[in-house]
Amino acid sequence: MDFLIEYGMFLAKAVTIVIAIVAVVIVVIASGMKNKTDKGELKLTDLTDELKQLKHDLKHEVLSKKQLKAYEKEVKAEEKAAEKEDKSPSKVYVIDFKGSIDASEVASLREEITAILTIAEKDDQVLVNVESGGGMVHGYGLASSQLDRLRQAEIPFTVCIDKVAASGGYMMACVANKIVAAPFAIVGSIGVVAQLPNFSRLLKKHEIDYEQHTAGNFKRTLTVFGENTDEGREKFQQELEETHVLFKQFVSHYRPELDLEKVATGEHWYGKQALDLGLVDEIATSDDIVLSFAKDHQVFKLKYQTKKKLADKIAHGASLSVSSVVSKLAEFNRVL
């Protein structure tokens, strides 16, 4: 029994040393690469050609030889007619925004919008698929401003909501010329929320002192570790109300027909309810919209991608290795 206990202690020390070494390696590699910029790349996919190829493949599977011959003849006739017109169809650029709490995806969105503004011509349009339950005010404020660049350039764009565009997600959506939502997509939540725990009583119970020094009466309104005051709570609530007013003004600027007394209560609605309230303009999925555009437009999917840094890959691998060792150690302890 003593041997097993000693072995367990040795294994624990070994794991600690391994974790420390891995951490040092990661820090060294990250420090060596911090001055190297990780430039991403734009990927352009022709959705119109993909849909044509899909249709062509399916026709070959389901049509008889006679029908297939007639179909291919029809396709050739359409291609010749298009060549005679000598006019390229207008384009639709499709981009996706699947937002996290801090809206960090705005970095890619910025690159995508810039690329579109560089290449877009008259009669071109943009389709933005937004999926987000909201998050930090400044992050989604910037994301909305990126979409507003399309409005400023007078490039018509549609936002599609297949699953959810609530709070900050709806802040982005309302900038569009047109909003389309799936029947059960979650829409709205025009409100502001903030919550935080307070550990002051726990610290007092364990006789732990906490000090916070500020210059300015409201540099900190509420605190996690110190005692909160009624004055601080009142100021914090005031700041939330002010942010809500700004949010409502923003929405009203782009969709002035909305009854804010009804829709800016912090509630969310499903697609069909949102249509009745004027939060969206049409019920459909992004797939429906893409298929509709593909009939007389050239539709491209645009995505800005960044490659993972070597340090990130090593850190991820090290994390998995350490987790595996710790899991095995935990199993060993359970056996003891």
Side-chain angles (χ1 to χ4, degrees):
M1 188 68 177
D2 291 339
F3 168 75
L4 292 177
I5 294 173
E6 289 179 7
Y7 180 71
M9 293 295 293
F10 168 77
L11 192 57
K13 290 177 182 178
V15 170
T16 303
I17 292 171
V18 169
I19 293 174
I21 293 172
V22 169
V24 170
V25 170
I26 292 172
V27 169
V28 170
I29 293 174
S31 299
M33 297 184 67
K34 65 181 180 179
N35 293 326
K36 295 182 179 179
T37 57
D38 185 28
K39 188 67 176 176
E41 60 181 9
L42 284 165
K43 182 180 179 183
L44 199 65
T45 305
D46 192 332
L47 297 183
T48 303
D49 278 354
E50 285 190 353
L51 290 170
K52 284 181 180 178
Q53 187 61 48
L54 175 62
K55 181 180 178 180
H56 180 74
D57 293 342
L58 291 174
K59 290 286 188 180
H60 273 74
E61 292 295 329
V62 300
L63 296 181
S64 65
K65 288 185 178 180
K66 185 177 180 180
Q67 291 172 326
L68 185 59
K69 189 175 181 181
Y71 164 72
E72 290 178 340
K73 186 178 180 180
E74 181 184 341
V75 170
K76 287 181 180 179
E78 290 175 354
E79 289 175 350
K80 285 183 179 180
E83 288 177 2
K84 285 182 180 179
E85 287 184 9
D86 193 25
K87 182 182 178 182
S88 59
S90 57
K91 299 171 182 61
V92 175
Y93 298 98
V94 181
I95 56 178
D96 294 336
F97 184 89
K98 190 172 182 179
S100 55
I101 291 293
D102 62 353
S104 59
E105 299 79 9
V106 74
S108 295
L109 180 65
R110 173 192 286 119
E111 300 290 345
E112 291 160 357
I113 296 296
T114 298
I116 291 171
L117 293 176
T118 301
I119 197 174
E121 299 177 353
K122 186 182 178 181
D123 299 328
D124 288 349
Q125 297 188 53
V126 176
L127 177 64
V128 184
N129 297 315
V130 173
E131 182 181 334
S132 174
M136 295 182 180
V137 175
H138 57 277
Y140 280 91
L142 179 56
S144 301
S145 297
Q146 290 298 326
L147 294 182
D148 188 57
R149 295 170 65 195
L150 296 172
R151 288 288 293 255
Q152 297 300 321
E154 298 184 350
I155 300 174
F157 80 100
T158 301
V159 160
C160 284
I161 309 169
D162 284 335
K163 293 182 179 179
V164 56
S167 196
Y170 188 74
M171 178 185 284
M172 293 179 66
C174 74
V175 180
N177 301 97
K178 183 179 181 181
I179 304 176
V180 178
F184 287 94
I186 294 174
V187 182
S189 190
I190 304 172
V192 186
V193 62
Q195 53 189 355
L196 72 162
N198 184 270
F199 298 99
S200 61
R201 284 186 293 176
L202 179 64
L203 295 178
K204 283 182 179 180
K205 181 179 178 180
H206 293 279
E207 298 182 345
I208 299 172
D209 293 328
Y210 172 77
E211 293 186 9
Q212 177 176 266
H213 303 274
T214 62
N217 292 336
F218 297 111
K219 180 61 180 177
R220 285 290 180 271
T221 51
L222 297 184
T223 173
V224 175
F225 298 109
E227 288 189 55
N228 289 315
T229 65
D230 289 338
E231 185 182 19
R233 293 188 184 95
E234 184 180 344
K235 179 62 177 177
F236 192 76
Q237 182 62 41
Q238 179 187 335
E239 291 171 350
L240 290 182
E241 296 292 346
E242 289 172 353
T243 304
H244 191 208
V245 169
L246 291 173
F247 192 176
K248 291 191 289 185
Q249 289 174 346
F250 185 87
V251 173
S252 179
H253 174 73
Y254 292 101
R255 298 185 74 85
E257 71 283 356
L258 280 176
D259 184 349
L260 290 179
E261 293 299 321
K262 278 188 177 181
V263 301
T265 58
E267 299 171 81
H268 68 266
W269 293 270
Y270 293 113
K272 288 187 176 180
Q273 297 171 316
L275 179 65
D276 294 337
L277 290 167
L279 289 164
V280 303
D281 304 300
E282 183 181 332
I283 298 298
T285 66
S286 61
D287 306 290
D288 297 325
I289 303 302
V290 168
L291 285 173
S292 177
F293 273 131
K295 292 177 182 177
D296 49 11
H297 295 76
Q298 194 76 17
V299 183
F300 293 97
K301 181 72 171 286
L302 185 66
K303 185 173 181 61
Y304 183 78
Q305 297 176 316
T306 55
K307 295 180 180 179
K308 282 189 176 180
K309 295 180 181 178
L310 178 60
D312 294 334
K313 292 180 180 179
I314 292 176
H316 180 66
S319 175
L320 293 177
S321 300
V322 171
S323 296
S324 176
V325 172
V326 171
S327 297
K328 289 180 180 178
L329 179 59
E331 290 174 6
F332 181 76
N333 286 334
R334 282 198 295 273
V335 171
L336 288 176

